[in-house]
Amino acid sequence: MQAHKPTPDAFPLDRLQLDDTAKGVLAITRHFLTSFGDPETQSWQMAFATAAERWNDRDGPQMAMRILTVVQAMRRARPSAFRFGNPLCLTCRGWVTPEEADLMGLIQSMRRDRADVARGHVAALTLGRMDPDLIRCALALAKGLGPVTATAPRARPQRPTHREAALLH
């Protein structure tokens, strides 16, 4: 890792404007990918534990399995390595690789029911192939996650609006 960035072309996670649910999916995805890259870490256990903390003991393992099916489908459909951040590095958590951005973009666009946007992310992840297994798994995950929620409340303007100023007088 270079300067605690997962890859030289990683960029700040905030740019993706993910809701809390999607941030959880990213963390769990990173644990699964770590487990595949370095099986001795047994990071898949952390993926399931994180899912149980986020969704509860009953729903968490089901969500983890849905995420795992997407990861597996993507790994099968992708002809090259998938670069990702270390889920245990506090600094790396704030960065995303281009590959992670495409995976999260795929899931988010499906949660928003935007197939037109999702197609571009599938193509980027698979290097041009519309993989039906990846699409099916990502749709099932998106359905389980539900629609995208607001990422943060809008900042109030620094100056009061005309209506607020009238209420002050």
Side-chain angles (χ1 to χ4, degrees):
M1 288 182 282
Q2 194 176 65
H4 283 87
K5 287 172 65 173
T7 61
D9 55 352
F11 56 90
L13 174 63
D14 291 342
R15 268 205 233 161
L16 295 182
Q17 298 181 345
L18 301 177
D19 62 2
D20 286 340
T21 300
K23 287 177 184 175
V25 169
L26 178 60
I28 292 164
T29 298
R30 286 174 168 175
H31 281 295
F32 281 128
L33 290 165
T34 297
S35 192
F36 290 122
D38 188 5
E40 295 80 30
T41 64
Q42 304 245 338
S43 194
W44 61 270
Q45 292 180 25
M46 186 63 83
F48 278 97
T50 302
E53 286 175 12
R54 285 194 170 268
W55 286 287
N56 71 44
D57 289 339
R58 185 191 62 148
D59 298 332
Q62 294 174 4
M63 293 306 295
M65 282 305 298
R66 286 183 181 146
I67 295 167
L68 179 57
T69 61
V70 171
V71 169
Q72 287 288 63
M74 187 233 0
R75 290 178 68 226
R76 284 190 299 271
R78 190 175 171 80
S80 62
F82 185 92
R83 300 175 306 155
F84 61 95
N86 178 350
L88 298 179
C89 173
L90 295 177
T91 304
C92 291
R93 288 180 190 176
W95 297 88
V96 291
T97 67
E99 293 87 346
E100 289 173 323
D102 279 318
L103 181 59
M104 297 313 300
L106 169 63
I107 295 165
Q108 292 294 85
S109 60
M110 288 183 168
R111 289 178 67 201
R112 289 184 172 108
D113 199 23
R114 293 290 312 269
D116 56 324
V117 177
R119 276 193 284 282
H121 292 295
V122 171
L125 286 167
T126 62
L127 304 182
R129 221 173 109 242
M130 288 292 122
D131 185 79
D133 192 36
L134 175 58
I135 294 166
R136 184 175 52 257
C137 293
L139 280 170
L141 174 60
K143 181 180 178 184
L145 294 173
V148 174
T149 57
T151 56
R154 291 189 182 266
R156 291 183 51 84
Q158 289 183 335
R159 295 183 184 175
T161 63
H162 290 295
R163 181 178 174 169
E164 290 170 331
L167 292 175
L168 294 175
H169 295 291

